[in-house]
Amino acid sequence: MIDPFGRTITYLRISVTDRCDFRCVYCMAEDMNFLPKGDLLSLEELERLATAFVRLGVRKLRLTGGEPLVRRGVMALVNRLGLQIGAKPGEPGLDELTLTTNGSQLARYAEDLAAAGVRRINVSIDTLDAAKFAAITRWGRLPQVLDGVMAAKAAGLKVKINAVALKDVNEHEFDGMLDWCGAHGFDLCLIETMPLGEIDGDRMDQYLPLSLVRQRLAAHWTLTPTDYVTGGPARYFDVAETGTRLGFITPLTHNFCEGCNRVRLTCTGTLYMCLGQEDAADLRRVLRGSDDDAVLADAIRAAIARKPKGHDFVIDRAHNRPALARHMSVTGG
Ligand code: SAM
Ligand code: SF4
């Protein structure tokens, strides 16, 4: 699948649920309205759709959400998708199946994930201060997440910690987090907040440019740029003192769209060709309208042919409105 700008689409992110057991302040309002369960694709439908994408050339699949591990029966889907890893060269199949999780359920699932063929996971932890963690996630508890992370490590999963950089909240903790990640062999990736969805506070109050964070970190750590790529938009640096990597995802400070190789599927079967644009394709209608996988493949190809060049995230400062009304938990980040 090649889009109109010559980018080959090899990466599909699937939000398997919009629900979550946390209410992170930058992601959700405290009293979120979730989708009626009947709107969701079944796990079998998600598998059929994912498989259609793999047949069309997707090599990397990430399950996300909401919190992917709170979807009932999700391991059945992971196990089925895991069977598509490791195809012969030249044949359709997955190189990688992975997920992004808040870690709350990892203690329970880490071994099953490893057994299903998952090799790497991203765990979102914005702070190692338990009180602050509770404040940011509203409903999350840090010790439970850390137990989950350690279970993942013990199960042999490679862990990357994702942290959203929040002005005045965790901005002075990244030295400590880098230290902790280094001690456990985890890469750390910092993310700028993105203006997605109505939340309770003011988004501009949270925004912290990562250029500033990098400058501050460079005072204490030897950061060497690398061309390491994971198929994502992060720019990575080797950290000499820890032997791990530090990544930065900066959607607002410079355009991260040039090398975009991904599309995003929601739990209702809506395909977004760009995280920062409204245009979408309703694949649920196609899926439920026909058992013919050729029809589904045509609909996917037609959607890829509409993939836009890039996002135009801007915060509507005059009205303090997000650039997009859709929450990150819908498209899965
Ligand atoms: N619940 C899982 C988790 O937290 O890892 C997966 C879904 S969550 C939406 C995926 C990632 O998006 C998390 O790392 C989260 O911190 C990030 N995220 C959510 N809202 C964001 C926003 N407005 N700006 C930047 N990152 C955001
Ligand atoms: Fe849930 Fe992840 Fe959003 Fe936090 S960032 S509320 S854990 S979906």
Side-chain angles (χ1 to χ4, degrees), residues 161-174:
I161 303 295
N162 279 341
V164 176
L166 300 162
K167 191 162 100 191
D168 298 331
V169 178
N170 60 358
E171 65 176 300
H172 296 295
E173 292 182 38
F174 302 130

Side-chain angles (χ1 to χ4, degrees), residues 13 20 24 26-27 64-68 100-102 122-124 126 162 164 191-196 203 328-329 332-333:
R13 300 174 65 109
C20 187
C24 302
Y26 47 77
C27 180
T64 173
E67 174 46 42
T100 298
T101 171
N102 66 24
N122 292 353
V123 186
S124 305
D126 300 327
N162 279 341
V164 176
I191 308 171
E192 269 173 6
T193 55
M194 295 176 231
L196 295 179
R203 292 230 175 243
M328 187 75 109
S329 48

